[in-house]
Amino acid sequence: MKYKSLGNTGLYVSELTLGTMTFDKEGGSNTGVIGTTGQELATKMVNLSLDAGINIFDTANVYSSGESEIMLGKALGDKRKDVLIATKLYSTITTGPNDLGTSRLAIMREVEASLKRLGTDYIDLYQVHQFDATTPLEETMKALDDLVRQGKVRYIGLSNFSAWQIAKADGLAKLLGTEKFCSVQAYYSLVGRELEREIIPASMDLGLGTLIWSPLAGGFLSGKITRTSEASGRRVNFDFPPVEKEQGFNIVDKLMEIAESKNASVAQIALAWLLHKQGVTSVIVGARKEEQLIDNLGAADIVLNDDEMKLLDDASVLKPEYPQYTQTLQRGETIFGQVENLK
């Protein structure tokens, strides 16, 4: 297992993170959608991850209506001091008029609830799950800064922000003298490369680390979904994130080709591709079954050569968009299959 610094901090995280969205009691809120592990399997998954060298575990206040945090805390037990816990706030389990979002009131309430459920007195990485358009960002930044000063939170991160929102938050922190966000959690996969347009460049320019969620696109890149097979697993009831199917099947074809040559699984190759991409700090893997997790952990040992990376890059390339294609034309590069030269 390799370790990378999380942005411009002295905090080192494993290149794989265990995601705990599937941690739920049997018959819980995840049943039939995400899948449930039960406490025994959740604990086994945590131990397997620790044995593989994973040192960071990702959850959220709303995963399994709070049960994910409870089960993660129990699974870690006295090992908690040796690992990093990342959790999130924005959405809530309750529906009061002041419950949703990242107001000072919501932040102070949610951090206490998460600490209690996790059975810990501090959170290593506290992440804002969504951009809150109804709360001044200054209010959010100041409240999060207070949590760091109080010792309840070590570092702060954000998730699912647009690039301009990331830049605004970074600028405000500098202006106000508050704690800065050190990480971005975002969706990235071979069938979802949109963050390469602006989010990855913004993160790298501002010195933020990245934690990648749904690297297998909700199971689309697991190897079980092909042109000739029907959707399985989570995508049967929750077809998310959205995938352009025809290009997606072409990508799966290439993954299968490389996987066969390396005696690896399709999922391992899809994860390994991400681990080779510039700007990626850690990839979040999660599973409903023990064998799925063991397979995913094996991606850390996969090495892809330049030709294999190019094969996957070409199959999954983004369509040119404004204003990126004007910059491409000015460099005299290929766009829409033709070379244009601006003079």
Side-chain angles (χ1 to χ4, degrees), residues 39-298:
Q39 185 64 58
E40 183 179 352
L41 180 54
T43 300
K44 183 176 288 188
M45 287 183 171
V46 165
N47 289 333
L48 284 169
S49 299
L50 291 170
D51 291 343
I54 285 179
N55 74 338
I56 180 168
F57 298 82
D58 182 75
T59 184
N61 61 340
V62 292
Y63 288 174
S64 309
S65 300
E67 196 66 31
S68 173
E69 289 183 327
I70 293 171
M71 292 174 67
L72 175 60
K74 290 180 179 178
L76 287 172
D78 59 8
K79 305 183 202 66
R80 189 273 173 268
K81 65 182 184 301
D82 302 318
V83 302
L84 306 170
I85 293 177
T87 192
K88 313 179 195 74
L89 83 150
Y90 175 82
S91 300
T92 61
I93 303 166
T94 53
T95 58
N98 287 307
D99 292 356
L100 183 69
T102 57
S103 67
R104 172 174 288 273
L105 177 65
I107 288 172
M108 297 304 176
R109 181 191 62 242
E110 291 304 314
V111 73
E112 295 296 342
S114 286
L115 288 169
K116 183 177 180 180
R117 286 191 292 264
L118 287 163
T120 186
D121 56 5
Y122 68 95
I123 293 165
D124 298 283
L125 179 63
Y126 201 37
Q127 303 161 106
V128 175
H129 213 159
Q130 299 280 349
F131 182 80
D132 184 356
T134 67
T135 299
L137 193 50
E138 294 90 337
E139 178 178 342
T140 299
M141 300 301 296
K142 289 178 180 179
L144 291 171
D145 185 70
D146 285 345
L147 295 184
V148 175
R149 305 303 155 214
Q150 294 166 9
K152 294 178 179 178
V153 168
R154 301 293 194 249
Y155 300 88
I156 58 172
L158 51 82
S159 179
N160 301 318
F161 277 42
S162 300
W164 73 264
Q165 295 165 343
I166 296 171
K168 180 178 181 179
D170 188 79
L172 269 178
K174 293 174 182 174
L175 180 66
L176 298 170
T178 61
E179 188 75 11
K180 293 171 57 179
F181 290 117
C182 71
S183 64
V184 174
Q185 188 171 144
Y187 167 57
Y188 191 15
S189 78
L190 269 164
V191 290
R193 295 177 59 181
E194 290 84 358
L195 90 171
E196 292 179 7
R197 299 191 193 280
E198 295 188 350
I199 294 176
I200 284 285
S203 300
M204 293 179 66
D205 182 67
L206 297 172
L208 279 67
T210 56
L211 304 174
I212 305 305
W213 63 262
S214 203
L216 298 180
F220 188 90
L221 300 174
S222 66
K224 298 177 181 178
I225 302 175
T226 65
R227 284 187 177 83
T228 58
S229 67
E230 297 182 359
S232 61
R234 191 175 100 184
R235 280 203 170 259
V236 173
N237 300 307
F238 189 41
D239 195 18
F240 182 85
V243 172
E244 199 290 297
K245 297 296 196 297
E246 187 55 37
Q247 183 187 35
F249 291 138
N250 290 335
I251 293 167
V252 171
D253 289 343
K254 303 301 181 185
L255 285 169
M256 293 176 69
E257 179 182 329
I258 297 173
E260 185 176 359
S261 70
K262 291 185 175 295
N263 194 29
S265 70
V266 168
Q268 287 176 336
I269 302 303
L271 293 170
W273 176 83
L274 277 171
L275 294 175
H276 284 67
K277 297 300 286 185
Q278 186 180 29
V280 171
T281 305
S282 186
V283 175
I284 302 172
V285 296
R288 294 180 296 113
K289 299 177 181 179
E290 180 180 351
E291 55 267 30
Q292 289 176 328
L293 178 59
I294 292 172
D295 183 78
N296 288 349
L297 293 173

